[in-house]
């Protein structure tokens, strides 16, 4: 890295430093493009012309626009009148007029955090660029969302991808239109661009020609040292999971142990992020014997795994928990897709008359996928086929799902880092949650295909047409007591969708709880933090979430204490604390080796 230009440097020296930095930035840009082109040539499969299957949806939108000329004409006229008024207002500001009439602009998009720099408000030119963009993006989104009649699924898909395009076109994403970047470049004589493009080149190299945007300092954390550090032992493993038993923190513990079935889309330690946020540590301190499934990060060795084999692996883990503790049943706790698997497992066990599960808890887990949120825009028959093509080696690369989740919040998880890292040249802040988010996993091909096809595309579990282990299973087959948590602002498992699934467990005693915040913060919300709130209303009896919420009681803080009370209400019997591996033995210390398994992006 070039040495910073001293403040006492002459104008000539400053100009020389600026020219040198711009030349180096130009050279770095060329290296980045060459590496990206090389990555494209090295790709195993040719690039798809329409990998997201957008042509049919936008073709339908075009038809709708042509079929509604008056509505389009009215919206267009309103837009250009607003742009003219905005131009007049901005010109008066630029000329320094003392009295400027206030202009009411229709369909303005939200400014958000991307326009916080003072020049977006104080400089007439940049303010016009901002306002013009917000007006245009608001008008486009309004037209896409409201013109004519479209099938809801097609409308949602077009709306989502239009939003992605508009967020990419945000003027804050462009060097020449971002006053903060221009200010930093002038002050640092272009050193920010050199630092940023060096980071970009490193990220392209790390992605083998694809840009893998760093969201945090990945060197600041280590699994087992900074995250996933609750004491315990791996007491058993097979080809797809390790079973962790955590060390007790109390003299006596609840007789019935708790086994977590986390998602395999991400690694389990979101539930054991650090001592202050760890649900695992907190649960151990409340007097529970806690077990955790740590799913393998799969490669070609797991290409034969299926939904049924993952169910059998979870069932084998239950058997090992029972053998280790000497009890006859276990309390299951599951999260996201782990909850979807748990639902199918519970229904199948009940049909077999199997009583090994005493209760089940679901964290933001969808069982009915009729309206499954923004992720649903990625899934239709053609895109499932394209995903199958990405899984020729028997697994879906980790980067594929990571990219999809980042697109759900592209302003926060993509574009803000593009500006901060590559234009401003700032190293991202160390953040354990973003470290976990970037610690992505691959997925076995058959397991992922089954999930997309049977749940997202066909919604077979909710339609009573799902078959697992060669047996049809229904949500109504679940009969154990259930604690069901949804998050009010969840964009991955929408609360109303989670509630629908909870209601379909018609033969189970369901306690439904709605937590404040989103998919992660709504679940990982320790009581000591004093954040958010939760709503409770007995069971899931109302027809819809709105009706349930109308009669619900709001309680400040975390729902964890409510869950603890519910679990102990099922059985308060205690036994002496259990030492991990006292019966089955110890394979290795927690967090184990499976969670540390990482692969290069492919």
């Amino acid at each position: 890295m070039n040495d910073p230009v001293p403040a006492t440097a002459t104008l000539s020296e400053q100009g020389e430093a600026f020219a040198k930095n711009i030349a180096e930035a130009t050279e770095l840009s060329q290296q980045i493009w060459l590496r990206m082109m090389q990555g494209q040539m090295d790709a195993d499969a040719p690039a798809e012309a329409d990998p997201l299957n957008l042509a049919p949806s936008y073709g339908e939108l075009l038809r709708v626009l042509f079929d509604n000329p008056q509505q389009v004409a009215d919206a267009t006229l309103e837009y250009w009148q607003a742009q003219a008024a905005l131009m007049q207002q901005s010109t008066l500001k630029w000329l320094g007029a003392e009295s400027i009439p206030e202009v009411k602009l229709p369909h303005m998009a939200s400014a958000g955090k991307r326009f916080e720099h003072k020049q977006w408000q104080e400089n007439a030119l940049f303010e016009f660029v901002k306002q013009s963009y917000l007006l245009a993006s608001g008008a486009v989104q309004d037209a896409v969302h409201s013109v004519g009649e479209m099938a809801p699924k097609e409308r949602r898909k077009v709306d989502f991808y239009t939003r992605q395009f508009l967020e990419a076109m945000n003027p804050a994403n462009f060097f020449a239109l971002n006053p903060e970047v221009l200010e930093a470049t002038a002050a640092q004589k272009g050193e920010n661009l050199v630092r940023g493009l060096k980071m970009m080149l490193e990220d392209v190299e790390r992605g083998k020609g694809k840009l893998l945007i760093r969201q945090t300092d990945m060197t600041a954390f280590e699994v087992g040292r900074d995250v996933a550090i609750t004491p315990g032992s791996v007491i058993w493993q097979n080809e797809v999971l390790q079973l962790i038993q955590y060390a007790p923190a109390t003299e006596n513990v609840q007789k019935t142990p708790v086994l977590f079935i986390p998602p395999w889309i991400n690694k389990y330690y979101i539930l054991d992020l650090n001592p202050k946020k760890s649900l695992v540590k907190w649960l151990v301190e409340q007097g529970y014997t806690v077990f955790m499934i740590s799913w393998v990060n799969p490669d070609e060795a797991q290409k034969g795994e299926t939904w049924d084999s993952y169910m059998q692996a979870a069932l084998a883990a239950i058997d090992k928990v029972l053998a280790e503790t000497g009890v006859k049943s276990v309390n299951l706790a599951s999260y996201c897709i782990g909850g979807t698997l748990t639902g199918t497992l519970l229904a199948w066990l009940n049909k077999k008359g199997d009583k090994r599960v005493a209760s089940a808890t679901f964290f933001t887990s969808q069982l009915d996928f009729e309206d499954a949120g923004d992720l649903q825009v990625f899934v239709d028959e053609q895109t499932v086929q394209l995903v199958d093509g990405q899984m020729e080696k028997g697994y879906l690369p980790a980067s594929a799902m990571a990219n999809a989740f980042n697109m759900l919040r592209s302003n926060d998880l993509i574009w803000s880092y593009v500006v901060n890292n590559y234009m401003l040249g700032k190293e991202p802040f160390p953040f354990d949650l973003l470290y976990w988010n970037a610690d992505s996993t691959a997925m076995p091909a058959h397991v992922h295909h089954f999930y997309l096809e049977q749940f997202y595309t066909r919604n077979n579990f909710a339609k009573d047409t799902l078959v697992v282990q060669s047996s049809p299973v229904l949500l109504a087959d679940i009969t154990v007591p259930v604690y069901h948590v949804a998050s009010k602002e969840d964009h991955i498992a929408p609360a109303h969708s989670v509630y629908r699934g909870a209601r379909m467990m018609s033969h189970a005693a369901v306690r439904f709880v709605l937590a404040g915040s989103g998919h992660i913060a709504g679940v990982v919300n320790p009581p000591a933090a004093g954040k958010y709130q939760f709503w409770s209303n007995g069971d899931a009896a109302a027809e819809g979430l709105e009706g349930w919420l109308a009669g619900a009681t709001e309680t400040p803080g975390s729902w964890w204490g409510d869950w603890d009370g519910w679990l102990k209400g099922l059985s308060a019997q205690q036994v002496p604390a259990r030492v991990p591996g006292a019966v089955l033995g110890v394979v290795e210390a927690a967090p184990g080796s499976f969670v540390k398994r990482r692969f290069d992006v492919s």
Side-chain angles (χ1 to χ4, degrees):
M1 184 181 297
N2 298 331
D3 294 329
V5 180
T8 56
T10 65
L11 188 61
S12 175
E13 291 171 333
Q14 292 181 31
E16 183 180 342
F18 186 82
K20 184 178 180 181
N21 285 326
I22 294 301
E24 186 173 357
T26 302
E27 182 181 346
L28 286 167
S29 298
Q30 293 173 343
Q31 293 179 43
I32 290 167
W33 282 115
L34 286 171
R35 186 63 185 93
M36 285 182 165
M37 292 172 64
Q38 185 65 48
Q40 289 291 326
M41 291 189 291
D42 292 342
D44 294 335
E48 292 285 344
D50 186 15
L52 299 170
N53 193 28
L54 298 181
S57 299
Y58 276 96
E60 177 66 8
L61 174 65
L62 192 61
R63 182 196 64 77
V64 167
L65 293 176
F66 274 116
D67 287 349
N68 295 271
Q70 188 61 52
Q71 195 174 354
V72 172
D74 290 344
T76 303
L77 180 61
E78 183 182 38
Y79 166 71
W80 283 113
Q81 287 175 338
Q83 279 286 13
L86 178 61
M87 174 66 79
Q88 181 184 34
Q89 182 187 62
S90 298
T91 302
L92 290 172
K93 284 185 179 181
W94 184 70
L95 293 173
E98 295 183 1
S99 177
I100 302 174
E102 185 176 350
V103 179
K104 186 177 181 181
L105 301 173
H107 312 305
M108 292 287 285
S110 172
K113 295 184 291 185
R114 305 296 309 283
F115 295 108
E116 287 183 343
H117 191 272
K118 63 180 182 178
Q119 289 296 322
W120 291 113
Q121 284 69 240
E122 295 178 2
N123 183 290
L125 176 60
F126 286 118
E127 185 186 29
F128 172 73
V129 170
K130 176 191 74 172
Q131 295 286 78
S132 182
Y133 162 76
L134 293 176
L135 178 60
S137 59
V140 170
Q141 285 179 297
D142 185 68
V144 166
H145 190 71
S146 62
V147 171
E149 297 292 334
M150 285 181 68
K153 188 173 183 179
E154 294 299 317
R155 178 83 76 182
R156 178 183 297 161
K157 190 170 187 176
V158 169
D159 187 58
F160 178 82
Y161 284 109
T162 300
R163 188 166 71 248
Q164 300 303 310
F165 170 77
L166 292 171
E167 288 176 355
M169 292 297 102
N170 190 313
N173 299 335
F174 296 89
F175 171 84
L177 298 177
N178 189 321
E180 183 179 10
V181 173
L182 292 173
E183 188 178 275
T185 303
Q188 300 176 44
K189 308 299 180 288
E191 291 171 10
N192 55 305
L193 300 180
V194 174
R195 293 193 306 270
L197 291 172
K198 284 181 177 179
M199 275 193 280
M200 179 179 275
L201 182 58
E202 291 171 4
D203 290 349
V204 170
E205 290 286 357
R206 185 165 54 93
K208 298 181 180 178
K210 299 177 182 177
L211 179 60
L212 288 185
I213 301 172
R214 66 183 80 182
Q215 296 171 337
T216 187
D217 181 359
M218 297 297 288
T219 65
F221 302 96
E222 182 180 326
V223 175
R225 184 194 71 190
D226 310 287
V227 294
I229 59 174
T230 299
S233 302
V234 175
I235 63 167
W236 179 76
Q237 67 182 46
N238 63 12
E239 62 279 3
V240 298
L241 65 83
Q242 287 189 319
L243 181 63
I244 301 170
Q245 181 181 1
Y246 292 96
T250 56
E251 187 175 342
N252 295 305
V253 294
Q254 295 297 308
K255 181 178 179 180
T256 306
V258 176
L259 169 63
F260 280 96
I261 302 181
W264 53 88
I265 289 176
N266 299 100
K267 294 182 179 178
Y268 80 84
Y269 63 87
I270 188 62
L271 298 169
D272 188 26
L273 202 55
N274 66 47
K276 291 183 178 180
K277 299 176 185 175
S278 173
L279 177 55
V280 169
K281 180 176 182 292
W282 182 87
L283 208 59
V284 167
E285 290 171 348
Q286 308 316 304
Y288 292 92
T289 303
V290 178
F291 295 83
M292 176 71 72
I293 287 177
S294 175
W295 297 104
V296 72
N297 191 357
D299 58 15
E300 292 184 54
Q302 283 76 38
K303 66 181 180 180
E305 298 298 336
T306 65
W307 189 271
D308 283 358
S309 69
Y310 264 47
M311 279 181 60
Q312 288 296 335
L315 189 59
I318 291 173
D319 286 338
K320 296 303 178 182
V321 170
L322 300 183
E324 178 67 30
T325 57
V327 297
K328 294 182 179 180
S329 61
V330 62
N331 293 316
L332 293 183
S334 56
Y335 196 171
C336 192
I337 190 176
T340 309
L341 180 81
T342 298
T344 63
L345 178 61
L346 292 172
W348 183 78
L349 286 174
N350 182 62
K351 294 201 77 166
K352 301 296 180 184
D354 195 309
K355 304 297 182 184
R356 279 177 280 183
V357 177
S359 76
T361 298
F362 296 88
F363 304 155
T364 62
S365 302
Q366 291 190 103
L367 301 167
D368 169 53
F369 287 75
E370 180 180 329
D371 187 10
D374 283 345
L375 277 175
Q376 207 162 27
V377 304
F378 296 107
V379 185
D380 55 34
E381 295 289 349
Q382 182 170 333
T383 52
V384 169
Q385 292 177 11
L386 291 172
V387 169
D388 287 345
Q390 293 180 277
M391 300 190 289
E392 291 180 355
K393 295 181 180 179
Y395 62 93
L396 183 71
S399 60
M401 283 304 297
N403 290 339
F405 280 109
N406 283 341
M407 284 179 69
L408 296 180
R409 292 173 54 205
S410 60
N411 257 338
D412 293 331
L413 297 179
I414 297 177
W415 298 113
S416 64
Y417 288 101
V418 167
V419 173
N420 185 79
N421 298 1
Y422 308 140
M423 295 186 194
L424 294 175
K426 296 179 180 178
E427 289 279 356
F429 186 77
F431 188 19
D432 51 12
L433 178 60
L434 288 176
Y435 174 86
W436 166 83
N437 187 60
D439 191 6
S440 303
T441 61
M443 281 173 286
H446 298 304
V447 179
H448 193 54
H449 179 95
F450 186 93
Y451 180 55
L452 295 182
E453 180 182 62
Q454 297 296 317
F455 296 99
Y456 268 99
T457 302
R458 301 184 182 177
N459 198 21
N460 280 344
F461 202 10
K463 293 179 178 177
D464 297 342
T465 53
L466 183 67
V467 175
V468 296
Q469 308 289 344
S470 302
S471 176
V473 290
L474 317 176
L475 277 162
D477 290 332
I478 299 171
T479 58
V480 299
V482 168
Y483 191 97
H484 220 308
V485 182
S487 292
K488 193 172 186 182
E489 299 168 18
D490 196 333
H491 60 288
I492 295 172
H496 64 270
S497 178
V498 175
Y499 182 81
R500 282 174 57 89
R503 287 197 76 238
M504 290 181 183
M505 290 187 271
S506 53
H507 294 153
V510 180
R511 177 166 178 77
F512 183 83
V513 170
L514 182 65
S517 197
H519 193 70
I520 300 300
V523 174
V524 184
N525 182 26
K531 296 176 67 175
Y532 311 126
Q533 69 283 97
F534 69 93
W535 292 264
S536 56
N537 185 13
D539 54 22
E543 181 67 27
L545 180 63
E546 292 75 14
W548 178 90
L549 193 55
T553 301
E554 181 178 345
T555 304
S558 173
W559 55 269
W560 291 9
D562 184 78
W563 181 43
D564 176 38
W566 181 84
L567 283 172
K568 288 174 179 171
L570 299 176
S571 174
Q573 187 176 356
Q574 293 191 334
V575 296
R578 300 162 172 130
V579 177
V583 175
L584 298 179
V586 172
V587 177
E588 59 182 327
S593 55
F594 281 19
V595 74
K596 297 179 181 179
R597 192 177 185 189
R598 303 185 72 173
F599 301 109
D600 292 332
V601 174
S602 56

